[in-house]
Amino acid sequence: MSFLDILKMAGGNFLRRKARTLLTVAGVVIGTMAVVIMLSIGQGMEKGYIEQLQSWGSLTQIEVYPNYSGNEDEQTYLNEETVTTLEALDHVEVALPTTRQYGGLIMGRKINDLGINGIDITKLDYYDLELENGEPVTAEMFAENGYLIPYTSVFQFYNPKQGWSDENDPYIYDEETGERTLKELPFDITNPDEARVKMAFDMSYYWGGEGNKPKGYDVRCAGVMSSKAQGNFSYSLVMDMKTLDEMYKKYQKDNKIDTKESDKNKNKYDSLYVVVDDMNNVTDVQAEINSLGYQTWASAELLEDVQEQMGMIQAVLGGIGAVAFLVAAIGISNTMVMSTYERTREIGIMKVLGCKLSNIMTLFLTEAAIIGFAGGVFGIALSLGLSKIMNMLSDSGALAMFSMGEGIPISIIPIWLIVGGIVFSTLVGVISGFYPALRATKLSALDAIKNE
Amino acid sequence: MNAKDDIIIDVKNLRKVYTIGTERVIALAGIDMKIRRGEICCLFGPSGSGKSTLLNMLAGLEKPTTGEIAIGGARIDKMNETQLADFRRNHFGFVFQSYNLLPALTALENVEMPMIFRGVDKNIRKKQAVKMLQYVGLKDRIKHKPTQMSGGQQQRVGIARAFVAHPPVIFADEPTGNLDTHTTYEVMDMMSAMVKKRGSTMIIVTHDNEIAAYGDHIIKIRDGKILEESWPKQQIAAAE
């Protein structure tokens, strides 16, 4: 008996008992939905946590620190050699150095205290810089003492004699709801006619400290960084590290600061990030960097804990859904056992006519598998719909308390869950059909045709 | 070839004992018989004589308690369930008193059934089944379900199903038990003509004298034993 014939026969048997077949399939639909929706909520939670982690720094980045052990021999530094060494490691895409100086901007009588980051503009693409106006950040921007300024920093020019005022707050607060909204930029800082700005390194004069008014150096604002930026570059200026270095040396010379004293510090860079090709390789690369004598931190360290916790939550959620599936499986078994009772005579006739036992077995397993498959397909379709509704409710605020954050859906159904759901329900169908199928093959052919 | 040597069914000392509770019921008490190829053999006797039990055992549907059954040389008493199913599929056709058609299937599909089990190609088996239904006079009932047909029509579908795969042996258990006299003759004529045309062997179980008259070889059974064996047509032929 070919499988096509078995399939045709199985299909015919369903059409004879439409109501019962539909009810059994409905049970599987509910079971599938229970499992899929529960797991999709788990997926949503996991995604929420991962996004939260990412907001603390990219999950593929490792921050590298020198080893301050105090022992001269073991002391390590961050310099060009370090970058070369780290970039030679497997899975490392690039090592991103940053230098840092403290100083500020001077605009007429107003000042703005800021950190200044120097970056390696040959690796510009890796620094994750974004402009508020959406234009790409290019190396040309950093020419002629060009710098980028964070959106909120544009507001923070103040007169040191008067101190901060409301003007320096980049946000407007709604008194009733307490919600804050970002103000529009007060002036175009990139236009030198509108804002004549200079950079200085020692602002202590303005804070009432000793000494002279610092000398301001000519700089050019090339752009305002995105207000949505997070991490290192959301509160400091960004420049080409070469430019920053030259300016700082000039400052040292102008103020007769002993450069030899400061050369003792062999750390050329103030921080160093290593970008790894894949999240899963972070731990290995981290261990390797540690063995080279550096200290490291990666937000991916937290990821493992989160993933472990999420695995447990998913197992619990899936387990709850599985109860509904178990009930559905019993439903399939029940339907198929009933079917063998009703079709005792038919099975008997088939056996007398010499139908192979394996064919009868396959026939019943196929019928059970069809119930499972159909239930799986409809269950997935309805789950996709329900998932969409849940996410819409979450966006509109009705289910916001379950949401992991703005714009993060409550329920996520990935492709593997769709395919897995259908395969699983079909498999459950086959397993549920096993006992009834075995029962059918064991029916006595003679008894079956004897009873009138 | 010597006709006596062409034995298709050879039964030796066949016994069947049922145990019902503590009671032992002897259904067959030592049957020895030989059926020749091409014969129409009637197992003739009243109900309870053991004739149906004998047929079931010849057809491999029931295991003998002791004794041997050889069909075309194959010892079916030694076969397991799977082997018996294979043997039935490839060598036997069945006609039942209550027709035993599959109610969900059409006449055509019912006739196709033995060939479906044999794995015959779809087009070939359809052509054969149509031809067979045409032969039994049901060409215009091909798409009908059993419930839409009279008893006589259903039994003709049953006959078509039994013969369609050209089995060498046909078993018929009270094939006309549910039919009126007119239809009985129609059905019996049809079956015996087919058997003769094909040279196949048919074993009919009956308690009806008129049916027994179709037999070349009549075995009268009573209380699980062979009471009398006769070959009326040979005697007639010899007398003439």
Side-chain angles (χ1 to χ4, degrees):
Chain A
M1 209 170 166
S2 76
F3 188 68
L4 203 69
D5 288 323
I6 290 177
L7 212 59
K8 202 179 154 210
M9 209 175 229
N13 285 325
F14 282 131
L15 296 177
R16 280 154 75 191
R17 295 177 186 84
K18 293 186 190 81
R20 193 174 63 190
T21 307
L22 279 178
L23 288 173
T24 314
V25 169
V28 182
V29 168
I30 292 167
T32 307
M33 283 178 72
V35 171
V36 169
I37 288 294
M38 284 293 180
L39 289 180
S40 81
I41 290 172
Q43 289 292 309
M45 286 172 79
E46 185 168 343
K47 186 164 184 225
Y49 276 119
I50 289 178
E51 274 185 25
Q52 222 164 52
L53 283 182
Q54 274 168 339
S55 73
W56 301 339
S58 168
L59 290 172
T60 54
Q61 286 195 3
I62 301 170
E63 188 166 8
V64 181
Y65 309 98
N67 185 14
Y68 301 108
S69 64
N71 186 336
E72 274 294 315
D73 299 339
E74 288 173 22
Q75 179 69 52
T76 50
Y77 299 100
L78 303 180
N79 49 34
E80 285 98 335
E81 206 183 314
T82 319
V83 169
T84 317
T85 314
L86 295 183
E87 283 185 341
L89 296 176
D90 280 347
H91 304 300
V92 171
E93 285 190 352
V94 73
L96 300 176
T98 307
T99 57
R100 192 166 296 131
Q101 300 296 349
Y102 293 93
L105 296 175
I106 304 166
M107 181 172 69
R109 290 185 178 171
K110 292 181 174 178
I111 63 158
N112 195 344
D113 309 307
L114 284 159
I116 307 154
N117 286 321
I119 61 167
D120 181 351
I121 61 164
T122 60
K123 295 167 182 172
L124 199 54
D125 292 344
Y126 291 99
Y127 281 96
D128 234 5
L129 296 168
E130 265 181 81
L131 293 188
E132 178 69 10
N133 62 13
E135 282 173 19
V137 177
T138 60
E140 287 80 58
M141 287 180 169
F142 297 96
E144 299 162 24
N145 296 354
Y147 69 92
L148 303 178
I149 186 168
Y151 189 90
T152 51
S153 299
V154 179
F155 294 86
Q156 283 155 358
F157 286 91
Y158 69 102
N159 188 329
K161 285 177 183 152
Q162 291 162 359
W164 280 53
S165 68
D166 283 349
E167 272 178 37
N168 298 120
D169 195 333
Y171 297 100
I172 303 171
Y173 298 88
D174 186 311
E175 282 180 14
E176 280 174 29
T177 61
E179 270 180 56
R180 58 177 207 180
T181 45
L182 212 53
K183 290 180 194 164
E184 292 283 314
L185 288 174
F187 57 91
D188 183 5
I189 192 169
T190 60
N191 184 350
D193 295 334
E194 225 177 293
R196 299 180 67 84
V197 174
K198 289 186 182 257
M199 185 181 283
F201 290 101
D202 186 357
M203 308 294 275
S204 59
Y205 165 82
Y206 294 103
W207 306 335
E210 293 168 13
N212 300 320
K213 211 168 180 177
K215 191 181 175 204
Y217 300 96
D218 285 327
V219 284
R220 183 181 62 88
C221 184
V224 178
M225 289 188 281
S226 170
S227 55
K228 293 184 185 73
Q230 285 171 316
N232 296 322
F233 299 126
S234 60
Y235 45 81
S236 301
L237 301 180
V238 178
M239 295 184 92
D240 181 354
M241 58 166 60
K242 281 184 194 148
T243 312
L244 184 60
D245 198 39
E246 281 165 16
M247 280 177 67
Y248 194 74
K249 278 190 177 134
K250 213 164 152 195
Y251 154 77
Q252 285 177 318
K253 207 176 146 196
D254 288 348
N255 290 280
K256 301 187 178 67
I257 293 170
D258 186 357
T259 51
K260 276 182 185 159
E261 183 68 21
S262 53
D263 267 353
K264 270 189 177 174
N265 182 356
K266 288 180 194 166
N267 273 325
K268 184 152 192 254
Y269 305 134
D270 293 283
S271 82
L272 188 58
Y273 281 88
V274 165
V275 179
V276 180
D277 58 358
D278 192 282
M279 211 163 76
N280 299 318
N281 295 327
V282 168
T283 317
D284 292 345
V285 173
Q286 218 181 337
E288 221 169 324
I289 297 173
N290 287 336
S291 72
L292 292 172
Y294 296 94
Q295 292 180 355
T296 55
W297 187 86
S299 48
E301 282 176 31
L302 298 171
L303 185 68
E304 280 180 30
D305 292 343
V306 168
Q307 278 175 331
E308 199 174 303
Q309 281 177 16
M310 282 297 125
M312 274 165 62
I313 291 175
Q314 296 253 26
V316 171
L317 289 174
I320 295 168
V323 173
F325 221 114
L326 186 68
V327 175
I330 294 170
I332 298 177
S333 273
N334 186 33
T335 296
M336 295 310 295
V337 169
M338 285 298 293
S339 190
T340 61
Y341 278 111
E342 286 172 3
R343 282 150 66 189
T344 298
R345 192 177 184 82
E346 257 179 76
I347 297 160
I349 297 164
M350 287 171 69
K351 281 176 131 179
V352 170
L353 297 184
C355 183
K356 281 183 191 164
L357 295 185
S358 61
N359 285 164
I360 292 173
M361 186 96 187
T362 313
L363 175 66
F364 275 80
L365 288 180
T366 304
E367 288 181 22
I370 290 173
I371 294 178
F373 178 75
V377 169
F378 288 116
I380 290 288
L382 289 176
S383 298
L384 288 170
L386 186 63
S387 169
K388 208 160 204 166
I389 291 169
M390 281 166 66
N391 292 336
M392 270 161 58
L393 288 176
S394 141
D395 285 347
S396 72
L399 285 172
M401 58 178 291
F402 298 110
S403 176
M404 291 295 299
E406 215 174 306
I408 298 166
I410 293 184
S411 149
I412 297 170
I413 303 181
I415 296 285
W416 67 259
L417 193 52
I418 294 176
V419 176
I422 294 172
V423 169
F424 181 67
S425 64
T426 309
L427 212 65
V428 167
V430 171
I431 293 167
S432 309
F434 192 75
Y435 166 71
L438 205 63
R439 199 184 169 277
T441 61
K442 287 194 172 152
L443 283 175
S444 155
L446 195 61
D447 290 347
I449 57 163
K450 251 185 198 165
N451 55 39
E452 297 284 312
Chain B
M1 190 203 278
N2 190 336
K4 274 192 180 171
D5 291 334
D6 197 13
I7 302 297
I8 188 159
I9 299 179
D10 193 351
V11 177
K12 281 179 189 150
N13 193 26
L14 188 67
R15 287 173 60 83
K16 180 71 182 177
V17 182
Y18 293 106
T19 311
I20 301 166
T22 52
E23 199 102 354
R24 281 158 55 85
V25 178
I26 298 171
L28 293 176
I31 301 272
D32 287 279
M33 62 185 226
K34 289 179 179 9
I35 297 172
R36 272 178 247 146
R37 201 180 295 277
E39 264 184 3
I40 294 177
C41 173
C42 277
L43 303 179
F44 181 72
S47 61
S49 61
K51 59 186 190 305
S52 283
T53 305
L54 178 56
L55 178 110
N56 289 338
M57 262 176 284
L58 296 179
L61 297 172
E62 225 173 326
K63 284 263 174 212
T65 308
T66 56
E68 292 176 13
I69 304 168
I71 296 188
R75 286 285 298 276
I76 66 163
D77 56 296
K78 291 199 165 165
M79 290 181 186
N80 63 27
E81 275 292 314
T82 311
Q83 291 168 322
L84 281 173
D86 290 345
F87 199 81
R88 283 199 296 272
R89 182 169 67 247
N90 294 320
H91 299 94
F92 297 161
F94 288 90
V95 181
F96 305 94
Q97 177 175 4
S98 45
Y99 328 129
N100 279 340
L101 303 177
L102 295 196
L105 305 185
T106 63
L108 183 69
E109 288 164 339
N110 265 292
V111 177
E112 274 184 78
M113 189 75 63
M115 289 184 291
I116 290 177
F117 295 158
R118 284 189 189 192
V120 176
D121 177 81
K122 201 177 165 186
N123 294 320
I124 297 172
R125 72 182 189 226
K126 197 159 196 171
K127 214 179 273 176
Q128 295 245 46
V130 170
K131 213 165 113 187
M132 208 61 218
L133 280 165
Q134 195 168 3
Y135 176 81
V136 298
L138 291 174
K139 207 196 168 195
D140 52 342
R141 293 278 192 277
I142 277 176
K143 297 276 175 202
H144 285 54
K145 295 264 169 83
T147 45
Q148 300 164 315
M149 290 187 277
S150 72
Q153 286 170 335
Q154 286 188 57
Q155 192 57 303
R156 282 189 276 167
V157 175
I159 291 166
R161 180 178 70 183
F163 283 93
V164 73
H166 292 254
V169 182
I170 309 281
F171 292 101
D173 192 355
E174 305 270 15
T176 59
N178 290 352
L179 303 177
D180 61 47
T181 320
H182 174 71
T183 320
T184 294
Y185 286 123
E186 233 176 56
V187 161
M188 283 312 298
D189 286 342
M190 201 176 274
M191 284 203 292
S192 47
M194 185 74 86
V195 168
K196 292 298 164 199
K197 186 177 144 199
R198 292 204 176 154
S200 37
T201 310
M202 178 157 75
I203 293 97
I204 305 179
V205 162
T206 187
H207 61 272
D208 187 341
N209 266 317
E210 286 166 12
I211 304 297
Y214 282 89
D216 305 310
H217 178 181
I218 296 166
I219 301 174
K220 283 192 181 160
I221 297 179
R222 190 135 322 159
D223 300 331
K225 286 181 207 134
I226 294 177
L227 195 68
E228 187 190 325
E229 232 177 322
S230 59
W231 288 264
K233 289 186 183 165
Q234 270 181 358
Q235 286 159 3
I236 292 165
E240 281 169 1

